[in-house]
Amino acid sequence: MTENEAINFYIGEKEVEKMNKKYSWTENETDDIWYHGRFSSVDECIEDAISCGRKPGEKIVIGICEDYVPQLSADMLLDQVSENAYEEVGEVAEGWPEFEVRKGYKYADKLQEKINKAFNEWLSETKQVSSFYRIQPLADLMIIPDTQQ
């Protein structure tokens, strides 16, 4: 059993998910880009806001960072291959790759797994893994507490 598997076993996957969450903050809830980085907790976001000049009583927005996960579609790839084959050799290519009505391409799920694995390996090898993320605000606005009390 690996260390990660042991952690998942003893404290549960949901708790591990919570441990791995990252947060960010911004001054304005309508901002498209949040410039203040990623933090391990809401408290770290508040501390950073204060260090950036925000004062107790001022409002900020805190959100959970969700990594962008690129998706390539096996079905779209198979559609393209099928169209290319038909254009190149004509009717003899009809029905290739094998397609089942109401189910889609046969074994497309296996291809999808291989595409995902190969693409993510390629991103890692070429140092192109995305560093950007989507942010889901936790609440509309949060008031910075007065830590002096």
Side-chain angles (χ1 to χ4, degrees), residues 96-107:
W96 180 86
E98 195 171 342
F99 187 85
E100 297 176 337
V101 177
R102 295 191 177 160
K103 290 184 180 179
Y105 287 102
K106 199 167 185 180
Y107 308 115

Side-chain angles (χ1 to χ4, degrees), residues 76-88 90 93-97 105:
M76 288 177 64
L77 178 65
L78 291 167
D79 284 343
Q80 185 65 52
V81 166
S82 177
E83 287 174 27
N84 291 350
Y86 187 84
E87 286 177 14
E88 193 169 319
E94 258 186 44
W96 180 86
Y105 287 102

Side-chain angles (χ1 to χ4, degrees), residues 23-135:
Y23 301 87
S24 189
W25 71 275
T26 191
E27 296 87 355
N28 189 338
E29 58 196 323
T30 59
D31 287 347
D32 287 331
I33 300 174
W34 294 29
Y35 293 100
H36 297 288
R38 294 169 77 146
F39 302 91
S40 296
S41 69
V42 169
D43 288 340
E44 285 184 18
C45 288
I46 293 169
E47 289 171 15
D48 188 65
I50 292 169
S51 74
C52 289
R54 303 285 145 229
K55 309 251 184 285
E58 290 185 351
K59 295 177 180 178
I60 61 171
V61 181
I62 295 178
I64 297 174
C65 303
E66 297 176 350
D67 290 331
Y68 171 72
V69 179
Q71 299 290 317
L72 296 176
S73 170
D75 286 326
M76 288 177 64
L77 178 65
L78 291 167
D79 284 343
Q80 185 65 52
V81 166
S82 177
E83 287 174 27
N84 291 350
Y86 187 84
E87 286 177 14
E88 193 169 319
V89 297
E91 284 185 43
V92 295
E94 258 186 44
W96 180 86
E98 195 171 342
F99 187 85
E100 297 176 337
V101 177
R102 295 191 177 160
K103 290 184 180 179
Y105 287 102
K106 199 167 185 180
Y107 308 115
D109 54 338
K110 290 181 181 180
L111 178 58
Q112 186 65 60
E113 288 175 21
K114 290 176 183 260
I115 289 170
N116 291 344
K117 183 178 183 217
F119 184 61
N120 285 312
E121 286 174 0
W122 176 79
L123 286 172
S124 292
E125 287 171 9
T126 60
K127 296 179 179 30
Q128 296 188 73
V129 174
S130 64
S131 60
F132 46 89
Y133 43 90
R134 169 182 36 253
I135 299 175

